[in-house]
Amino acid sequence: TNNALGVAGAAPEVHLLAIRIASRDSLGRWTSDAGWIAEGIDKAIDLGARVLNSSWGVEESENVRRAVQRALN
């Protein structure tokens, strides 16, 4: 790599956005809901994200479906 860091990236000009779509409940378990997920997608769009990558397990939601559609447009 010859960059004095010992690591190389495939896209050195990329900027990452970390947007939390979950929180811990009173027992310390991670939990989320469709509203938080839709809000996270909308926030990413508002901040100029061009690529979204996320993984979650919630029931199907029209809110999430609409947020994904907005991201695609």
Side-chain angles (χ1 to χ4, degrees):
T1 63
N2 199 26
N3 65 6
L5 299 175
V7 296
E13 298 300 317
V14 167
H15 299 275
L16 298 178
L17 296 170
I19 299 173
R20 183 171 288 179
I21 59 169
S23 66
R24 291 194 186 268
D25 66 13
S26 61
L27 299 175
R29 298 173 298 200
W30 285 102
T31 184
S32 187
D33 69 31
W36 295 346
I37 294 167
E39 288 175 15
I41 293 169
D42 287 337
K43 183 174 184 178
I45 295 166
D46 291 344
L47 292 172
R50 295 177 20 198
V51 175
L52 302 177
N53 181 17
S54 188
S55 176
W56 61 80
V58 296
E59 293 182 22
E60 286 190 34
S61 160
E62 189 60 32
N63 287 340
V64 172
R65 191 175 290 113
R66 284 193 299 264
V68 169
Q69 191 59 50
R70 284 191 297 275
L72 292 171
N73 292 331

